[in-house]
Amino acid sequence: MTTKKKTKDLILDAAEELFAIRGFYGVSIRQITTKADVDPALASYHFGKKKDIFDAVMLRRAEILNRERIQTLDDCIRRAKPNPAPLHEIIDAFTHALLNRSNKGGKGWRSYFAIIAQINNHPELGGIIMSQYFDPLAKKFLQAIRANMPDANDEDLYWCYHFLSGALTLTFSGTERINKLSDGLCASSDLDAVHERLVPFITAGFKAFMRPFGHQ
Amino acid sequence: MTTKKKTKDLILDAAEELFAIRGFYGVSIRQITTKADVDPALASYHFGKKKDIFDAVMLRRAEILNRERIQTLDDCIRRAKPNPAPLHEIIDAFTHALLNRSNKGGKGWRSYFAIIAQINNHPELGGIIMSQYFDPLAKKFLQAIRANMPDANDEDLYWCYHFLSGALTLTFSGTERINKLSDGLCASSDLDAVHERLVPFITAGFKAFMRPFGHQ
DNA sequence: AATATATTTCAACACTTGTTTAATTTTTGC
DNA sequence: GCAAAAATTAAACAAGTGTTGAAATATATT
């Protein structure tokens, strides 16, 4: 028995889809409420300012993702005890939930990640919400890596994380330039193919700077 | 004798700076012309529609960059003859001009790359201009890598390029999250530090998939 | 110097923007 | 069933949107 969707969610769904395509400034409240088949005033009534709608869109799935990713990382660390977790498993834990949802989570999730891809390169909008939810996880992730590579240089470590972040988020954007560049050789939507390659690519990048635990 | 700047360039400069901060939809023509200290009607007169202003902003520096990067890549290939160019030199050729301009080119260039960082994750806006100028270079770059790694798998190669592209453009965005995450350990503006790390990171990533020429 | 072309100005266009107000309807708790 | 609270509607707000047209000025060409 699926009850009728509440107005709040109708608005968030519509906003999510539109923000993904045209960005925050490229979408008007009337476009959102029209798509949601709802009166424009309800957006203000339920959320307040336009930016608050955007924040609500971000928040909704960030909570889910955050729980999932922390869990995966913890599992991976626990499994390896008393040794530090292997690097490629840490990176897999960091990326898997994201790519999986992006690939198999349906249209809503795909839109959500498209927004993240924009925001990650545009700090003014990501703002508090994103930092609040993703920075703690990033720190946890970096701690896990450090446990694996105790002699790692701080700056090296953070830049490597930065590169990972960039490679990952560009993938979310769903750009089809890959397709064009490869003359159609790549099915850009097959995110399993991405995951298979992203993890070893990034792992190798990290290892270029630091010898992992157990190797000399 | 520096002649007074022409209106066209005044508009482009202002547009460039504003687009970098708030994106295409977040900037109005009146904001641009006000910043340029110029009548709003002049924007239409000189460029046409708003999108045409944006395209002109993109075009102006794309031409310069394109020339520079092709030259660097060709030099690097010529130097190595008759052998294929070393992988890290190819990647350096691909990134150096960009990071250098972004770092030492002044405010205009920094704005320009911030726009690219947004566009790279947002195909609707990048559109024809960017593909037209950057795709041919990307192909040249991939050819050079293939010469180095003749047995490289096509799909692997293109995904690796994708990761490089993501890591590179995120760097352009000038996000300061790195700073926050590292508790201020990283000076995010020091792009020399980026370059020192980006090239080995990416090189290692590529090599994870393909043995370079000469190594077995 | 006179003509032709290019540029600039100012005002206005019709339309959309985010947000608010007050009246009305629906839902809730008792 | 009744009162209180929540949700929805419709209309309006001032401000800003991209773009255009015609008149005025500056520049270039002969």
Side-chain angles (χ1 to χ4, degrees):
Chain A
M1 161 207 163
T2 62
T3 61
K4 198 179 61 186
K5 262 195 181 173
K6 307 295 284 184
T7 307
K8 270 196 172 193
D9 275 316
L10 288 175
I11 293 176
L12 290 183
D13 289 344
E16 186 172 58
E17 192 173 338
L18 289 171
F19 284 146
I21 304 171
R22 322 230 320 161
F24 178 75
Y25 298 109
V27 176
S28 74
I29 290 186
R30 276 171 175 88
Q31 289 170 342
I32 294 172
T33 51
T34 300
K35 190 180 190 73
D37 204 29
V38 139
D39 190 275
L42 287 175
S44 305
Y45 174 74
H46 283 290
F47 296 99
K49 309 285 179 192
K50 184 184 177 187
K51 180 76 199 311
D52 297 324
I53 303 178
F54 188 79
D55 286 346
V57 167
M58 291 292 93
L59 205 60
R60 199 169 45 150
R61 302 193 197 268
E63 285 170 332
I64 300 173
L65 276 183
N66 218 34
R67 234 186 339 259
E68 229 174 71
R69 293 172 82 196
I70 287 181
Q71 169 102 38
T72 316
L73 183 55
D74 283 343
D75 285 353
C76 147
I77 292 172
R78 199 174 310 112
R79 242 191 344 264
K81 280 234 165 110
N83 287 334
L87 184 56
H88 72 272
E89 277 190 33
I90 300 173
I91 290 168
D92 186 88
F94 190 73
T95 59
H96 188 270
L98 303 180
L99 290 166
N100 192 52
R101 292 276 186 186
S102 167
N103 194 14
K104 294 163 187 157
K107 194 174 65 177
W109 279 100
R110 217 169 313 122
S111 297
Y112 182 73
F113 285 115
I115 298 176
I116 288 195
Q118 292 176 46
I119 277 187
N120 203 45
N121 291 21
H122 197 214
E124 185 191 350
L125 289 175
I128 302 144
I129 300 281
M130 294 312 276
S131 298
Q132 191 176 341
Y133 275 82
F134 287 95
D135 284 5
L137 194 132
K139 288 206 178 189
K140 238 172 125 58
F141 167 74
L142 284 169
Q143 274 169 23
I145 296 206
R146 173 168 309 287
N148 190 293
M149 304 167 154
D151 58 340
N153 173 282
D154 263 343
E155 242 182 301
D156 287 343
L157 198 57
Y158 287 113
W159 277 115
C160 287
Y161 170 78
H162 182 83
F163 300 146
L164 163 55
S165 173
L168 188 60
T169 47
L170 177 56
T171 299
F172 292 148
S173 71
T175 309
E176 273 154 38
R177 276 182 64 209
I178 279 278
N179 240 326
K180 290 190 214 141
L181 279 173
S182 68
D183 298 317
L185 280 169
C186 289
S188 71
S189 59
D190 182 4
L191 288 205
D192 280 337
V194 188
H195 198 247
E196 266 170 36
R197 290 175 177 88
L198 180 63
V199 174
F201 186 94
I202 298 296
T203 306
F206 269 94
K207 285 188 180 168
F209 286 92
M210 330 152 191
R211 296 221 160 275
F213 178 87
H215 297 72
Q216 124 175 20
Chain B
M1 157 212 161
T2 61
T3 61
K4 199 180 59 185
K5 262 194 181 174
K6 306 294 284 185
T7 306
K8 270 195 172 193
D9 276 315
L10 288 175
I11 293 175
L12 289 184
D13 289 344
E16 187 171 58
E17 193 174 337
L18 289 172
F19 284 147
I21 303 171
R22 324 231 319 160
F24 178 75
Y25 298 109
V27 176
S28 74
I29 290 187
R30 275 170 176 90
Q31 289 171 343
I32 293 171
T33 51
T34 299
K35 190 180 190 73
D37 204 31
V38 139
D39 191 277
L42 288 175
S44 305
Y45 174 74
H46 283 290
F47 296 100
K49 309 286 179 192
K50 185 184 176 188
K51 181 76 199 310
D52 297 323
I53 303 178
F54 188 80
D55 287 346
V57 168
M58 291 293 92
L59 205 60
R60 197 167 49 148
R61 303 197 196 267
E63 284 169 333
I64 300 172
L65 276 183
N66 217 35
R67 234 188 338 262
E68 229 173 73
R69 294 173 81 196
I70 287 180
Q71 171 102 37
T72 316
L73 182 56
D74 283 344
D75 286 353
C76 147
I77 292 172
R78 199 174 311 111
R79 245 192 340 267
K81 281 231 165 113
N83 288 335
L87 184 56
H88 72 272
E89 278 191 32
I90 299 173
I91 291 169
D92 186 88
F94 189 73
T95 60
H96 187 270
L98 302 181
L99 289 167
N100 190 54
R101 292 276 187 188
S102 169
N103 194 14
K104 294 163 187 158
K107 194 173 65 175
W109 279 99
R110 215 167 317 120
S111 296
Y112 182 73
F113 285 115
I115 299 175
I116 289 195
Q118 292 177 47
I119 278 188
N120 203 45
N121 292 21
H122 198 212
E124 184 190 348
L125 289 174
I128 303 143
I129 300 279
M130 295 310 279
S131 296
Q132 190 177 341
Y133 274 82
F134 286 94
D135 283 3
L137 193 131
K139 286 205 177 188
K140 239 172 124 59
F141 167 74
L142 284 169
Q143 273 169 23
I145 295 207
R146 173 169 311 289
N148 190 294
M149 304 169 154
D151 58 343
N153 173 283
D154 263 341
E155 243 182 298
D156 288 343
L157 198 57
Y158 287 114
W159 277 114
C160 287
Y161 169 79
H162 182 83
F163 300 145
L164 163 55
S165 174
L168 187 60
T169 48
L170 177 56
T171 300
F172 292 148
S173 71
T175 309
E176 275 154 35
R177 274 183 66 208
I178 279 279
N179 240 324
K180 288 191 218 145
L181 279 173
S182 69
D183 299 316
L185 280 168
C186 288
S188 73
S189 60
D190 183 4
L191 287 205
D192 279 338
V194 188
H195 197 246
E196 266 171 35
R197 290 174 175 89
L198 180 61
V199 175
F201 187 95
I202 298 296
T203 306
F206 270 94
K207 284 186 180 169
F209 288 91
M210 331 149 192
R211 297 218 160 279
F213 179 86
H215 297 72
Q216 122 175 26

